[in-house]
Amino acid sequence: AKDKEIEGKVIVRLLVAQDGAVEEHEVLKYADASLRSAVEKHVYDLKFKPGQKDGKPVKVWVTLPFAFKL
């Protein structure tokens, strides 16, 4: 994408597990297939602070935008 000077956003919905790891993902929107591939290649490397309910960690869905600019 960088060589082709492609810019844009990829919006991803992630299921964050009780340990903060990404358990599932769903791409909601993307500007270009190469940007989508870049996000999907690394989405499971992300780590989050898990959601909490009544003081205990729980799974939670979050939506994140990834912006690619040159």
Side-chain angles (χ1 to χ4, degrees):
K2 186 177 179 181
D3 292 340
K4 295 178 185 178
E5 297 185 2
I6 297 171
E7 294 183 331
K9 279 187 182 178
V10 178
I11 299 176
V12 183
R13 186 170 178 236
L14 305 170
L15 180 59
V16 178
Q18 292 97 330
D19 65 356
V22 175
E23 194 171 287
E24 276 183 57
H25 81 280
E26 176 185 358
V27 176
L28 302 177
K29 290 184 182 181
Y30 60 97
D32 185 82
S34 61
L35 300 179
R36 177 186 176 149
S37 295
V39 170
E40 288 187 305
K41 184 177 180 182
H42 297 286
V43 75
Y44 292 100
D45 296 333
L46 299 173
K47 202 70 165 154
F48 294 88
K49 182 177 177 181
Q52 290 201 0
K53 184 174 183 179
D54 298 325
K56 296 180 182 178
V58 294
K59 291 182 183 182
V60 63
W61 283 98
V62 296
T63 302
L64 292 176
F66 292 86
F68 292 85
K69 291 188 176 197
L70 297 174

